[in-house]
Amino acid sequence: MADFKQVGQSITRRDGVGKLTGKALYPDDLTMENMVYGATVRSPYAHAEIVLIDTSKAKAAPGVIDVFTADDVPGHNSHGVLYKDHNVFCKGKVRRIGDPVAFVVAETEAQAREAVNLVEVTYKEIPAVFDPKEALKPGAPVVNEYSDRFFFYDDDKETVFEKPENYPFPNLLFRYKCRKGECESDSIWNTCEEVAEGEFYSPFVDTAALQAESGIAYIDENDRLVLTAGTQYMHFDRIELADALHIDEKRIRVVNPVIGGAFGSREDLTLQIHLAVAALKLRRPVKATYTREESFYAHSKRHPMTMKAKMGADKDGKLVAFEAEIYSDSGAYASWGINVTRKACVHITGPYQIPNVKIDGYAVYTNNPFTGAFRGFGATQVTMVHETLMDMLAEKLGIDRIDIRMKNIYRVGSQTANGQIITESCPLDKCIDTVKKAMSSETGDALKTTPSKESYIKKGRGIAACWYGTGYGNGFPDVSVADVELLPEGRVLLRAGAAEVGQGARTIMPQITAEILGMNASDIEYYSEDSDECEDSGTAAATRQTYNTGNAVKLASEKFKAEIIKEAVHLINKSLPEFDRLNSGHKFKVENGEVYLAILPTKRVTFAQIAANLAEEGRTLRVRDSFTAQTVKLDENGYGAPYWPYTFNSYGVEVEVDTFTGRVQCTKAWCAQDVGRAINPTLVEGQIDGGFVMGLGYTLYENLGVNKGKIENNKYSKYIIPTAMDIPQIEKYIIEDPETSAPFGAKGIGEPVMIPVAPAILNAIYDAIGVRITSLPATPDKVLKALKDNLL
Amino acid sequence: MFDLKINVNGVDYEREIKADMRLLDFIRNELGLTGTKEGCGEGECGACTVIVDGIAVDSCLMLAVQCHNKKVETIEGLEKNGVLHPVQQSFLDNGAVQCGFCIPGMVLSAKALLDSNSNPTDEEIKECVSGNLCRCTGYDKMFKAIKNAQKSYSGEGEK
Amino acid sequence: MVEKKITKAYCIKEVIDALSENIDESTVIAGGTDIMIELREGKLTHSIIVDVSDVAEMKGISITPEEIRIGAAVTFSEIVKSKEIKAALPGLWDACKSVGATQIRNMGTLGGNTANGSPAADSVPPLLALGAKLIIASSAGDDMVKLSDFFLGKGKTALPKGAIIKEFIIPMQGKKSRIIAFEKLGLRNALAISRISSAVSLNVEGGVITEATVASGSIGLIPTVEEDMSKFLVGKAANEDTINQAASHFSAIVAERLKGRSTVEFKAEAIKGVITKALRKAFNQVNS
């Protein structure tokens, strides 16, 4: 590859200084003249009919201006990222604890919060269901009878296109089926030398992003509605607002303030429409900020999954067959339940070639908190399944845990369970090798530890290999748009509607343009957080911004480069007599804000000169381009190309298990992450660190403690996430293997960096103490109980 | 009501405030210094960390009244004449910032440590930010940033 | 919401006067780590709050061969910074270091930790094990109370209305340092609420335990002096055998106390590890 000047450089974060000096404005930092405050009335019941809402006392309370309910929503009282099955304000019934019922607006925040308690809602409790398997039984309470779903399921759980009341599985949201090879016949299992099987559980967990939901809606001087909250997808929020407010999208502007973390929990709307409904009626700026406790109820959770699987191999350790069944709890609303469950089902094979595969997955409505996008999007939950079974097989067959993986991993040319061919950029072998070498430095054996100082502390090592498909996937139109404009004085402005949620989109997009235009990234001006300024670049999710929007930015920048060369030739020729003019734009270079003829560099003009000439001629130079990712929808047997590209990684860890108390500490970590190409290595490392630590919390600590729909651990003192004292030394290895369809070969890594952590740690725990934890998190009580049971 | 005398970032203020106002609300709402963040309201996340008389505290767990006649430093007071404080500069240089919500508190915790101990051990560095939760960075680059900031401290005394 | 009245006090007299204004309606704030949460949640019913964090008589640490006195408004960080406390009362020092994280230790006080009456208060088990006494100040003057008599039930203490914990007195028995060890099981390494904790103070002569006090936290409703454990240890040799026996013994006590609770299986098992580590630390102090 060519030498890069901007790509591959750890350029300093564009938004760093603002964030370090306190000048960066997050939604709760904004205030406006004449502003009023809102607070939300929420359901205390998991499933209940709303008999009556009496707002009279609340309306009469000091400072209260108005109270909004479903009747005050001018347009459709619904929203949702896929199915419109959320109510803006619940009407008729509530489906979960915390469902929004009304919104009180008052002169001060305290007054609004006090008046929330004065809104009298009469509920009639109805039977609720909290277990996905129970919810699938005939006669189970119907959680979400919303009739605008695309399809429901019949007795065989095959698709039918009818209304829910006619069929016995109204709570079944999505059914995944994959059949490959001889998977239906029992005989295939008889050909296996060894079979490993197990049942696994991933609980309700939360992104726990540091900034709780907050926002302001107001009507601007042009009578347009402006919403500034924090979202991963401005353009989608605008669609949802228009639909609920019954006003034209053109009248709505969504602006992102600085966002304090997202990880998926800012995809479904929370307070946005509430603010907008109130602002539209009151014509005053309306602000609301959730408390931490409320935030835990308001946004989506990771789908809890019960996963049963078995994996068989021949005597050499080559995988023969794999079978899995997944029950995924969507809670009260669909959100991304279909897509998350599909992603789980696709990824549960692990990055391994298996000729015979049978997978069944079910996403089910319950009266639990609703679940949706969360870093890893279903793939996080399933890695403990394939990596545990892999280790179990290795043990049964007497094969080294690393060797068995090397025998089965995807390589270029491999076919997935969905029949998709991995055509390139598949350096998983290199990831595993890198981790193996690094881990071997201490004892000569990657999976062997040095002796422990205390006899009650048992050390162990584990390794995991994973894969992750980028993008919305499954044939869904996955489009990003970017544009580049020449401004007066020759400045260059890049626009792309990709939300900066902390991942670094604001830093790397200009890097790409700078590379193409031979400029410094810091000289590229960039707009990204305003739906008026930028076209739709899709959501800052699905590990897709670097790949998708990066591609759009690259295409638009290349187009801009071609255009500015034309303008340079035009300008040079303008003052020349006809026969002295340059013939074409060939052999022109663009560098440092100048365009020149490489074979005769005196023929040059600056961007500023071109800009001045354009102005003189009454023209502008602004070009746009878009990129659409290529995926193919799965058929009824799970055949298709659900994602592209795939990213691979391998993590190794060392743990210390305190056999007295059952506490597990992760003391060392080695992380090899395939990135295609690193646009900004420091940002890549930051993602690995952050993903590792989030994975560490998921593995050892985190659990919302959902009990009959109630979240017991809805505060930071109870929802335990890792502190600075809990993390190991994290060694990071960036593995580059450029992908041809990606911008400079760069693939996304935002989500995959989290997914190998849980299985690596669980495998290390087994290595240390000989017990398998299959239900997360691996808390002291579970470890101690497993140890005790193991002794009996 | 309470007649509060307080020095924030070197500026003396005299304000009549509601007596049960949290220090955090005083800083954000009365003084408009919104760099101090509220992440949990229960002293768990440290996003609201400020320095009172040289000591890092959670401003959500303190009444403004408790700081009567005291000196408070917030993130807005660190940058001087457009020059970042060594801790800020080091966080920037080491890529220790992501979403940024925890950063003001994190920087102040680090500053409080380095002000009182210019040569902390790795363990002391980890400990000084253990009351500041971060969900993005995994802390690793923060440790490096604080360690490097320490170099700018040596010989320069109190910044 | 009615605004609370806050008084910032600088001496005990101001505290008592402020509390006396309406003893039913008044309470005290020091570090604020508990009371500010109640205030935020609207659960604080008192209308008068007296800030004692800068009360001079409550801020000192004094050390004599007979006793160590620690003011109730001394913060955990101040104790952690005290090399003298670390040397004289290592288990108390450990416990204070294990509280929350830096900011919480900078604010939270020994007095607040005790007055709050939480079974999970980290500094309380070592104080109990050491036989600490409290000086309680009120308009009637100072009163001395044994810490072991102070906790009455969940969140309930023997602190009379209008009174305040002024000081802790830890008997030193004429020694430079006492054998005191503390061990805690939290779920993470900082900001960890104790799931179980235990403190052991001992006198050991010629390898035999002559005096022992074991105290526990988070096993039951209040921090507790484990009389039975104390008796069990006296007369035994300070060795691993004793530790193993003590672990089983303590486990049985916990199993009995928590019978029927969902945590019983875990805590009855984990207490073995906690007491084992505490006793090992204590025995190490014998030899040092």
Side-chain angles (χ1 to χ4, degrees), chain A residues 400-443:
Chain A
D400 177 84
R401 288 183 274 159
I402 294 173
D403 291 347
I404 194 168
R405 286 178 170 79
M406 290 304 254
K407 280 175 199 272
N408 291 288
I409 52 170
Y410 289 150
R411 295 165 192 274
V412 170
S414 293
Q415 195 191 58
T416 71
N418 306 101
Q420 184 173 5
I421 310 295
I422 308 287
T423 55
E424 60 170 315
S425 187
C426 181
L428 181 54
D429 53 347
K430 207 170 157 193
C431 293
I432 295 175
D433 262 341
T434 303
V435 166
K436 182 182 174 175
K437 272 200 196 96
M439 288 178 85
S440 302
S441 67
E442 224 173 7
T443 63

Coordinates of all heavy atoms in Angstrom, one line a residue, chain A residues 400-443:
Chain A
D400 N -4.7 -29.3 22.7 CA -4.4 -28.0 23.2 C -5.6 -27.1 22.8 O -6.1 -27.1 21.7 CB -3.1 -27.5 22.6 CG -2.7 -26.1 23.1 OD1 -2.2 -26.0 24.2 OD2 -3.1 -25.2 22.3
R401 N -5.9 -26.2 23.8 CA -7.0 -25.3 23.6 C -6.8 -24.3 22.4 O -7.7 -23.8 21.8 CB -7.3 -24.5 24.9 CG -7.9 -25.4 26.0 CD -8.2 -24.5 27.2 NE -7.1 -24.4 28.1 CZ -6.9 -23.4 29.0 NH1 -7.8 -22.5 29.1 NH2 -5.9 -23.4 29.8
I402 N -5.5 -23.9 22.2 CA -5.3 -23.0 21.1 C -5.2 -23.8 19.8 O -5.8 -23.4 18.8 CB -3.9 -22.3 21.3 CG1 -4.1 -21.3 22.5 CG2 -3.5 -21.5 20.1 CD1 -2.8 -20.7 23.0
D403 N -4.6 -25.0 19.8 CA -4.6 -25.8 18.6 C -5.9 -26.1 18.0 O -6.1 -26.1 16.8 CB -3.8 -27.1 18.9 CG -2.3 -26.9 19.1 OD1 -1.9 -25.8 18.9 OD2 -1.7 -27.8 19.6
I404 N -6.9 -26.5 18.9 CA -8.2 -26.9 18.4 C -8.9 -25.7 17.7 O -9.6 -25.9 16.7 CB -9.1 -27.4 19.5 CG1 -10.3 -28.1 18.9 CG2 -9.5 -26.4 20.5 CD1 -11.1 -29.0 19.8
R405 N -8.6 -24.5 18.2 CA -9.2 -23.3 17.5 C -8.5 -23.1 16.1 O -9.2 -22.9 15.1 CB -9.0 -22.1 18.4 CG -9.9 -22.1 19.6 CD -9.7 -20.9 20.5 NE -10.8 -20.8 21.5 CZ -10.9 -21.6 22.6 NH1 -10.0 -22.5 22.9 NH2 -11.9 -21.4 23.4
M406 N -7.2 -23.3 16.1 CA -6.5 -23.1 14.8 C -6.9 -24.1 13.8 O -6.9 -23.8 12.6 CB -5.0 -23.2 15.0 CG -4.4 -22.0 15.8 SD -4.7 -20.4 15.1 CE -3.1 -20.1 14.4
K407 N -7.3 -25.2 14.2 CA -7.8 -26.2 13.2 C -9.1 -25.9 12.6 O -9.5 -26.4 11.5 CB -8.1 -27.6 14.0 CG -6.8 -28.4 14.2 CD -7.3 -29.6 15.1 CE -6.1 -30.3 15.7 NZ -5.4 -31.3 14.9
N408 N -9.9 -25.0 13.3 CA -11.3 -24.8 12.8 C -11.6 -23.4 12.4 O -12.7 -23.2 11.9 CB -12.2 -25.2 14.0 CG -12.2 -26.7 14.2 OD1 -12.8 -27.5 13.4 ND2 -11.6 -27.2 15.3
I409 N -10.7 -22.5 12.7 CA -11.1 -21.1 12.4 C -11.4 -20.7 11.0 O -10.9 -21.4 10.1 CB -10.0 -20.1 13.0 CG1 -8.7 -20.4 12.4 CG2 -10.1 -20.0 14.5 CD1 -7.6 -19.4 12.7
Y410 N -12.1 -19.7 10.8 CA -12.3 -19.1 9.5 C -11.0 -18.6 8.9 O -10.2 -18.0 9.6 CB -13.3 -18.0 9.5 CG -14.8 -18.3 9.8 CD1 -15.6 -17.4 10.4 CD2 -15.3 -19.5 9.3 CE1 -16.9 -17.7 10.6 CE2 -16.6 -19.8 9.6 CZ -17.4 -18.9 10.2 OH -18.7 -19.2 10.5
R411 N -10.8 -18.9 7.6 CA -9.7 -18.4 6.9 C -10.3 -17.9 5.6 O -11.5 -18.1 5.3 CB -8.7 -19.4 6.6 CG -8.0 -19.9 7.9 CD -7.2 -21.2 7.8 NE -6.9 -21.8 9.1 CZ -5.8 -21.5 9.7 NH1 -4.9 -20.6 9.3 NH2 -5.5 -22.0 10.9
V412 N -9.5 -17.2 4.8 CA -10.0 -16.7 3.5 C -10.5 -17.9 2.7 O -9.8 -18.9 2.6 CB -8.9 -15.9 2.7 CG1 -9.4 -15.6 1.3 CG2 -8.6 -14.6 3.5
G413 N -11.8 -17.8 2.2 CA -12.4 -18.9 1.5 C -13.3 -19.7 2.3 O -14.1 -20.5 1.8
S414 N -13.3 -19.6 3.6 CA -14.2 -20.4 4.5 C -15.7 -20.0 4.2 O -16.0 -18.9 3.8 CB -13.9 -20.1 6.0 OG -12.7 -20.6 6.3
Q415 N -16.5 -21.0 4.5 CA -18.0 -20.8 4.4 C -18.6 -20.8 5.8 O -18.4 -21.6 6.6 CB -18.6 -21.9 3.5 CG -20.0 -21.5 3.0 CD -20.7 -22.7 2.4 OE1 -20.8 -23.8 3.1 NE2 -21.0 -22.6 1.2
T416 N -19.4 -19.8 6.0 CA -20.1 -19.7 7.3 C -21.3 -20.6 7.3 O -21.7 -21.2 6.3 CB -20.6 -18.3 7.6 OG1 -21.7 -18.0 6.8 CG2 -19.5 -17.2 7.4
A417 N -22.0 -20.7 8.5 CA -23.2 -21.5 8.6 C -24.3 -21.0 7.7 O -25.2 -21.8 7.3 CB -23.6 -21.6 10.1
N418 N -24.2 -19.7 7.4 CA -25.2 -19.2 6.5 C -24.9 -19.3 5.0 O -25.6 -18.8 4.1 CB -25.4 -17.7 6.8 CG -25.7 -17.4 8.3 OD1 -24.8 -17.0 9.0 ND2 -26.9 -17.7 8.6
G419 N -23.7 -20.0 4.7 CA -23.3 -20.2 3.3 C -22.6 -19.0 2.8 O -22.3 -19.0 1.6
Q420 N -22.2 -18.1 3.6 CA -21.5 -16.9 3.2 C -20.0 -17.2 3.1 O -19.5 -17.9 3.9 CB -21.7 -15.7 4.1 CG -21.1 -14.4 3.7 CD -21.5 -13.3 4.6 OE1 -22.2 -13.5 5.6 NE2 -21.1 -12.1 4.2
I421 N -19.4 -16.7 2.0 CA -17.9 -16.9 1.9 C -17.1 -15.8 2.4 O -17.4 -14.6 2.1 CB -17.6 -17.1 0.4 CG1 -18.5 -18.1 -0.3 CG2 -16.1 -17.5 0.2 CD1 -18.4 -19.5 0.2
I422 N -16.2 -16.1 3.3 CA -15.2 -15.0 3.8 C -14.2 -14.9 2.7 O -13.2 -15.7 2.6 CB -14.6 -15.5 5.1 CG1 -15.7 -15.9 6.1 CG2 -13.7 -14.4 5.6 CD1 -16.5 -14.8 6.7
T423 N -14.3 -13.8 1.9 CA -13.4 -13.7 0.7 C -12.1 -13.0 1.0 O -11.2 -13.2 0.2 CB -14.1 -12.9 -0.4 OG1 -14.5 -11.7 0.2 CG2 -15.4 -13.6 -0.9
E424 N -12.0 -12.3 2.1 CA -10.7 -11.6 2.3 C -10.7 -11.0 3.8 O -11.7 -11.1 4.5 CB -10.6 -10.4 1.4 CG -11.7 -9.4 1.5 CD -11.4 -8.1 0.7 OE1 -10.3 -7.6 0.8 OE2 -12.4 -7.7 0.0
S425 N -9.6 -10.4 4.1 CA -9.4 -9.7 5.4 C -9.9 -10.6 6.6 O -10.8 -10.2 7.3 CB -10.2 -8.4 5.4 OG -9.9 -7.7 6.6
C426 N -9.3 -11.7 6.7 CA -9.7 -12.7 7.8 C -8.4 -13.1 8.6 O -8.0 -14.3 8.5 CB -10.4 -13.9 7.1 SG -11.0 -15.1 8.3
P427 N -7.8 -12.2 9.3 CA -6.6 -12.5 10.0 C -6.7 -13.1 11.4 O -6.0 -12.8 12.3 CB -5.9 -11.2 10.0 CG -7.0 -10.2 10.2 CD -8.2 -10.8 9.5
L428 N -7.7 -14.0 11.5 CA -7.9 -14.6 12.9 C -6.8 -15.4 13.3 O -6.4 -15.4 14.5 CB -9.2 -15.4 12.9 CG -9.6 -16.0 14.2 CD1 -9.7 -14.9 15.3 CD2 -11.0 -16.7 14.1
D429 N -6.1 -16.1 12.4 CA -5.0 -16.9 12.7 C -3.9 -16.0 13.3 O -3.2 -16.4 14.3 CB -4.5 -17.7 11.5 CG -4.2 -16.9 10.3 OD1 -4.6 -15.7 10.3 OD2 -3.6 -17.4 9.3
K430 N -3.7 -14.9 12.7 CA -2.7 -13.9 13.1 C -3.1 -13.4 14.5 O -2.2 -13.2 15.4 CB -2.6 -12.8 12.1 CG -1.2 -12.2 12.1 CD -1.1 -11.2 10.9 CE 0.0 -10.2 11.2 NZ -0.1 -9.0 10.3
C431 N -4.3 -13.1 14.8 CA -4.8 -12.7 16.1 C -4.4 -13.7 17.2 O -3.8 -13.4 18.2 CB -6.3 -12.4 16.1 SG -6.8 -11.0 15.1
I432 N -4.8 -15.0 16.9 CA -4.5 -16.0 17.9 C -3.0 -16.2 18.1 O -2.6 -16.3 19.2 CB -5.2 -17.3 17.4 CG1 -6.7 -17.2 17.4 CG2 -4.8 -18.5 18.4 CD1 -7.5 -18.4 16.9
D433 N -2.3 -16.2 17.0 CA -0.8 -16.4 17.1 C -0.2 -15.3 17.9 O 0.7 -15.5 18.7 CB -0.2 -16.3 15.7 CG 0.0 -17.7 15.1 OD1 0.1 -18.7 16.0 OD2 0.2 -17.9 13.9
T434 N -0.7 -14.1 17.7 CA -0.1 -12.9 18.4 C -0.3 -13.0 19.9 O 0.6 -12.8 20.7 CB -0.8 -11.6 17.9 OG1 -0.5 -11.5 16.5 CG2 -0.2 -10.4 18.5
V435 N -1.6 -13.4 20.2 CA -1.9 -13.6 21.6 C -1.1 -14.7 22.3 O -0.6 -14.6 23.4 CB -3.4 -13.8 21.8 CG1 -3.8 -14.3 23.2 CG2 -4.2 -12.5 21.5
K436 N -1.0 -15.8 21.5 CA -0.3 -16.9 22.0 C 1.2 -16.6 22.3 O 1.7 -16.9 23.4 CB -0.3 -18.1 21.0 CG 0.4 -19.3 21.4 CD 0.3 -20.4 20.3 CE 1.2 -21.6 20.7 NZ 1.1 -22.7 19.8
K437 N 1.8 -15.9 21.4 CA 3.2 -15.5 21.6 C 3.4 -14.6 22.8 O 4.2 -14.8 23.6 CB 3.7 -14.8 20.3 CG 4.3 -15.7 19.3 CD 5.2 -15.0 18.3 CE 5.4 -15.8 17.1 NZ 4.5 -15.5 16.0
A438 N 2.5 -13.6 22.9 CA 2.6 -12.7 24.0 C 2.4 -13.4 25.3 O 3.1 -13.1 26.3 CB 1.6 -11.6 23.8
M439 N 1.4 -14.3 25.3 CA 1.1 -15.0 26.6 C 2.2 -16.0 27.0 O 2.3 -16.4 28.2 CB -0.2 -15.8 26.5 CG -1.5 -14.9 26.4 SD -3.0 -15.8 26.2 CE -3.4 -16.3 27.9
S440 N 3.0 -16.4 26.0 CA 4.0 -17.4 26.3 C 5.2 -16.8 26.9 O 6.1 -17.6 27.4 CB 4.4 -18.1 25.0 OG 3.3 -18.7 24.4
S441 N 5.3 -15.5 26.9 CA 6.6 -14.9 27.4 C 7.0 -15.3 28.8 O 8.2 -15.3 29.2 CB 6.6 -13.4 27.2 OG 5.6 -12.9 28.1
E442 N 6.0 -15.5 29.7 CA 6.3 -15.7 31.1 C 6.7 -17.1 31.4 O 7.7 -17.3 32.1 CB 5.0 -15.4 31.9 CG 5.3 -14.6 33.1 CD 4.0 -14.1 33.8 OE1 2.9 -14.6 33.4 OE2 4.1 -13.4 34.7
T443 N 6.0 -18.1 30.9 CA 6.3 -19.5 31.3 C 6.7 -20.3 30.1 O 6.9 -21.5 30.2 CB 5.1 -20.1 31.9 OG1 4.0 -20.2 31.0 CG2 4.6 -19.4 33.1

